[in-house]
Amino acid sequence: LYMKDGSMYKGNWIDNKFCGINNVFIDSNGIAYKGNFINGILEGIGNRFTIENHSYTGNFVHFKREGQGEENFGECIYKGEYKDDKINGEGEIIFNSGDSYKGQFLNGVFHGEGHYIWKNKSEYIGSYVNGKFHGHGIYIANQNEYYKGKGVR
């Protein structure tokens, strides 16, 4: 069914609302949702695909990412917690470059305690604030060289 605003829905209806499992809704911005609809709202496990080729698989509450999920941004893949449609809580991100980060996130950036590993095997284990090293941590350049202390980047 095509709607006046340009959106499209394919699936079951109950009382004039989207309802059922494995239904598809494409909004007027081209974002596609596939999953369980209850009273016209995407709820529970589902998928989201954007026109930028980002894909998300995980839990939804009122069309928002909430709880556990996995998202492919093209240049990296994130697995972890979402709150109010944002990356928040514990998670892990693996970059196409070979770098990775495992730890805490706030509004989509490293924030709290975390462990970053570069492709060259250098590591930083410690605190982050707004995506930057902040406070106590350990930087390991290789197996024989490391720095332990307080730093701000």
Side-chain angles (χ1 to χ4, degrees), residues 86-97:
K86 296 179 184 161
I87 294 173
N88 279 304
E90 295 288 328
E92 179 176 12
I93 192 164
I94 300 171
F95 298 93
N96 291 349
S97 66

Side-chain angles (χ1 to χ4, degrees), residues 1-3 5-10 18 23-35 37 42 46-57 60 62-65 71-73 85:
L1 173 69
Y2 291 91
M3 297 172 217
D5 67 357
S7 60
M8 190 275 299
Y9 175 74
K10 181 180 179 184
F18 311 156
N23 297 327
V24 175
F25 174 73
I26 302 173
D27 72 16
S28 58
N29 296 316
I31 298 173
Y33 299 89
K34 181 179 181 185
F37 287 81
L42 180 63
N47 304 95
R48 181 178 82 171
F49 306 93
T50 69
I51 56 175
E52 295 90 12
N53 289 322
H54 296 177
S55 63
Y56 168 83
T57 300
F60 287 91
H62 283 74
F63 280 97
K64 292 183 178 182
R65 297 167 296 175
E71 191 156 4
N72 185 332
F73 292 98
D85 209 35

Side-chain angles (χ1 to χ4, degrees), residues 122-141:
S122 295
E123 301 178 50
Y124 174 77
I125 304 164
S127 298
Y128 291 82
V129 172
N130 294 322
K132 298 179 180 178
F133 308 148
H134 189 88
H136 288 282
I138 299 170
Y139 174 76
I140 304 166

Side-chain angles (χ1 to χ4, degrees), residues 15 20 22 28 30 83 96-97 102 104 141:
D15 294 330
N22 289 324
S28 58
K83 176 129 178 80
N96 291 349
S97 66
K102 186 173 185 176
Q104 298 171 326

Side-chain angles (χ1 to χ4, degrees), residues 95-149:
F95 298 93
N96 291 349
S97 66
D99 295 357
S100 66
Y101 170 84
K102 186 173 185 176
Q104 298 171 326
F105 290 82
L106 181 65
N107 295 322
V109 298
F110 311 156
H111 194 90
E113 297 301 309
H115 184 179
Y116 195 100
I117 302 173
W118 284 268
K119 177 181 170 180
N120 68 7
K121 304 299 182 206
S122 295
E123 301 178 50
Y124 174 77
I125 304 164
S127 298
Y128 291 82
V129 172
N130 294 322
K132 298 179 180 178
F133 308 148
H134 189 88
H136 288 282
I138 299 170
Y139 174 76
I140 304 166
N142 60 48
Q143 294 176 344
N144 298 320
E145 295 178 40
Y146 71 93
Y147 170 79
K148 182 178 181 181

